[in-house]
Amino acid sequence: AAGIALLGAFGVFETRISHPLVDFGLWKERLFSGGFFAESAVGFVYIPFLVFVGSLYFINVLGYSPGKAANVILITTGICMVFEPPAGKWVDKVGPGLPIAVSLLMQAVALAWMGLAFGPSTSLGQMVVPLALMGIGVGISLPACNTAGMSAVDPERAGMGSGLMQMTFNIPAALGVGLVTSIIGTLTASKVGPGLGTRTELRDIAAQYADAVQDGDMKRADDMLAALPQDSIDAVKNAVASATSGAINVSMLALSAVALAGAIFAWVVIGRRRTPDHIEMTHAAQV
């Protein structure tokens, strides 16, 4: 509540001074608004994906070592870096609207694929395509969003525009992580008990084990199971892995909906608009 009040006070103050830190008139330009909010969608879905699929799913559900998890997530991050340079050329040819919409649609499909198909027994081969699709989508969207936003900012406000474009990725990323943390924490706790079947005597220890795993305290988690027979240990671990996987599936579907909304918004707001620099270069070439 205090944060909202301070943000409102900041907005009022900024509209009443001659040299504001943030010029709210920037959002009147469709290219800036489209790039700004599309990049918000990218940050909101990409960082939670890296955090929860790249670590919690790979390590706690599939049982990968941290090193192997890091190598597998390179499928996404490596492809992302490869596609960023050609994305700029595509934006130059067609404008930023189509690349942003298509790239966010790719991310929506990849996240929905993970939400519907990933589970405790998913193989590496089954993950390659959605992980690669996610990397391509992010690799195209980041330069396209920044081109759209910065092309609408005059040189005097370039620092302001750049700062806002960075902010619109990082703050939604933190909000996305918070949302997914809440979803996974709530759903995992509710799914652990049913996952044990008739082993009702293990429900309390399984819930405590799940909490320790989500906290990243694997020593405490292992200590909880140390005195149990092997069949009970296996039952608890399988129930927690299954519950965690199901919760991650739901969270990826939620992120997919955000990416899809971002794709639709970018296309509606930007459409086939070209950046001013592109229009000038095209005109010069024709002359």
Side-chain angles (χ1 to χ4, degrees):
I4 292 172
L6 290 171
L7 186 62
F10 173 79
V12 171
F13 181 76
E14 290 293 291
T15 59
R16 296 183 178 182
I17 58 177
S18 55
H19 300 288
L21 182 65
V22 176
D23 183 355
F24 290 94
L26 286 174
W27 282 275
K28 295 179 181 179
E29 168 55 54
R30 281 177 170 260
L31 280 171
F32 184 83
S33 293
F36 181 90
F37 289 109
E39 187 149 341
S40 295
V42 177
F44 194 94
V45 304
Y46 183 50
I47 299 304
F49 153 77
L50 289 179
V51 171
F52 293 99
V53 172
S55 60
L56 192 64
Y57 175 70
F58 287 162
I59 296 173
N60 294 342
V61 175
L62 297 183
Y64 290 178
S65 68
K68 183 176 180 179
N71 289 330
V72 173
I73 204 63
L74 276 174
I75 296 171
T76 298
T77 56
I79 289 177
C80 175
M81 291 187 289
V82 169
F83 271 81
E84 285 188 4
K89 296 180 180 179
W90 187 21
V91 172
D92 287 342
K93 289 181 179 180
V94 303
L98 182 62
I100 292 173
V102 169
S103 63
L104 275 165
L105 183 60
M106 288 180 180
Q107 294 171 62
V109 171
L111 290 164
W113 191 329
M114 296 173 202
L116 295 172
F118 281 17
S121 60
T122 302
S123 67
L124 177 57
Q126 293 171 314
M127 296 188 290
V128 170
V129 174
L131 292 177
L133 190 62
M134 188 71 183
I136 295 170
V138 175
I140 295 172
S141 62
L142 290 178
C145 290
N146 278 286
T147 298
M150 294 305 296
S151 68
V153 179
D154 54 68
E156 291 76 13
R157 297 183 293 178
M160 179 192 302
S162 178
L164 289 170
M165 293 303 293
Q166 288 297 315
M167 178 203 73
T168 196
F169 181 87
N170 293 322
I171 292 180
L175 294 174
V177 169
L179 173 66
V180 174
T181 298
S182 179
I183 292 174
I184 291 177
T186 301
L187 291 183
T188 299
S190 66
K191 291 176 178 289
V192 167
L196 290 166
T198 58
R199 302 292 302 271
T200 55
E201 75 280 4
L202 297 174
R203 290 192 175 185
D204 288 342
I205 190 69
Q208 294 171 22
Y209 178 81
D211 287 340
V213 169
Q214 289 184 39
D215 290 341
D217 190 349
M218 296 309 299
K219 183 179 184 305
R220 179 164 65 92
D222 291 339
D223 289 344
M224 290 179 184
L225 304 183
L228 296 178
Q230 189 60 48
D231 65 322
S232 297
I233 293 175
D234 293 340
V236 169
K237 288 186 173 180
N238 290 337
V240 171
S242 179
T244 303
S245 178
I248 292 174
N249 291 153
V250 173
S251 66
M252 292 303 108
L253 291 174
L255 295 181
S256 175
V258 173
L260 180 60
I264 295 171
F265 177 86
W267 182 247
V268 170
V269 173
I270 300 176
R272 295 192 177 276
R273 286 175 174 78
R274 303 292 185 93
T275 62
D277 289 341
H278 180 84
I279 294 171
E280 291 172 8
M281 287 188 292
T282 303
H283 177 70
Q286 291 173 345
V287 172

